[in-house]
Amino acid sequence: MIDPRFPARLLEDLSQQRSTEGPRTRLNIDRHGDESEELPPGLVPFARDGGGGVWYLDVEDCLKKGVGAIFYLHMSEVYGDTRYIAASYDELLQRVAEGLHPRDMPTFDELASRQAPKSVRVPGIEGLVDVERVHASTGRPAVVTVHDNARCEGGFVARAGTSVYMTDAGRIQFVTLAERAVVDGIPCAGDTVLALHPKTGRPLRFTPAEPIVVDGLPLAPFHEVMVEDPIYAPSVSGMLARDHDVEGLPLAAGTQVRLLRGKLDQGTLRADANVAGTLLPAGTWFELLSGTLYRTRPPAT
């Protein structure tokens, strides 16, 4: 978008849709860039780099680097991945011409983590930890290493010497279990990875210590289960505990299976079957894409 608070040179480049390219990055002028939900409204987008990265100009000094300061954030990243690039648009053009790449500059999280404390206690984890990374947005730990086996909020125990990942709200999101634990009613095996939904605490990645049924799939113990993105692209995958039919297809015990948005996405046949209009022999692994046979792997010989 064109903002009257932009400096004169940027307003001219925007009106002419004049893009700039340096040895290592580009400024593709974009008059209609979407504002980021991660950054304050005073950070106004004015260009893209052609790879998903967006250049922003701070018209209100929201981030305290001065009015007109330039920041960079990829569309897939969050606030802590923001990078301060230059004090002005003129300085940005000069630095791009000299070979600047935005990834050369530290992120907000990296800057906040430079003085991360060691041998401290943090909420939600018993015992001492070393803070490895900090959320710039809240100042809370993002990644810590536990000194000894440490009981965590939620009742499970983190294995000594491993990293625990935490959200910017202070919730544990990723941990290596030191011992068996029951999490949200699911018995999880010790010495395995546990990933939790950042808001609900629901296990998204775990290794069950007992047979379990997830979305109608009978899954085997001691094989990792993945329950991914339960909102936008819900899926579940794991090892079948026994022969099981899904959508009329005979699937084999002891093989990987996956449902995507409640529909069969991949599996291995235990008997000959017609899969999306193609007859496949027993033992064939297949993958579907929008209900169409995408690829197959013949039975092992």
Side-chain angles (χ1 to χ4, degrees), residues 244-280:
H244 183 68
D245 291 358
V246 178
E247 299 173 13
L249 295 177
L251 303 183
T255 61
Q256 287 289 125
V257 65
R258 184 172 69 189
L259 298 181
L260 178 62
R261 296 186 178 90
K263 297 292 185 179
L264 183 62
D265 182 64
Q266 68 178 45
T268 301
L269 297 172
R270 70 174 187 274
D272 298 352
N274 188 308
V275 180
T278 300
L279 183 61
L280 299 177

Side-chain angles (χ1 to χ4, degrees), residues 59-227:
V59 297
E60 297 178 358
D61 195 18
C62 297
L63 299 183
K64 306 306 178 185
K65 290 293 186 180
V67 172
I70 305 294
F71 297 85
Y72 174 92
L73 181 64
H74 195 278
M75 289 186 291
S76 67
E77 295 178 330
V78 297
Y79 174 84
D81 299 306
T82 307
R83 300 164 195 268
Y84 167 65
I85 303 296
S88 66
Y89 181 63
D90 285 344
E91 182 182 328
L92 171 66
L93 295 179
Q94 178 180 344
R95 300 198 67 189
V96 167
E98 292 171 350
L100 169 78
H101 191 283
R103 302 276 173 193
D104 296 338
M105 307 301 290
T107 67
F108 286 179
D109 279 358
E110 288 169 343
L111 292 172
S113 303
R114 286 182 173 175
Q115 301 297 324
K118 307 299 181 184
S119 297
V120 295
R121 298 179 184 275
V122 299
I125 301 176
E126 295 181 3
L128 297 177
V129 306
D130 293 338
V131 178
E132 310 293 348
R133 198 171 78 232
V134 174
H135 289 291
S137 57
T138 61
R140 290 173 170 153
V143 183
V144 304
T145 300
V146 295
H147 288 195
D148 304 302
N149 287 354
R151 185 162 297 279
C152 302
E153 184 177 0
F156 46 83
V157 177
R159 194 177 70 194
T162 63
S163 296
V164 177
Y165 290 72
M166 309 179 76
T167 70
D168 56 5
R171 297 194 66 158
I172 293 174
Q173 190 170 8
F174 187 95
V175 64
T176 300
L177 297 176
E179 58 189 44
R180 175 185 167 121
V182 178
V183 183
D184 197 30
I186 298 173
C188 299
D191 201 31
T192 63
V193 166
L194 172 66
L196 302 167
H197 189 283
K199 292 184 178 179
T200 66
R202 173 189 176 188
L204 300 179
R205 177 183 176 187
F206 59 94
T207 300
E210 300 173 6
I212 187 173
V213 176
V214 181
D215 288 356
L217 295 177
L219 301 177
F222 307 109
H223 292 276
E224 190 169 73
V225 173
M226 299 283 288
V227 182

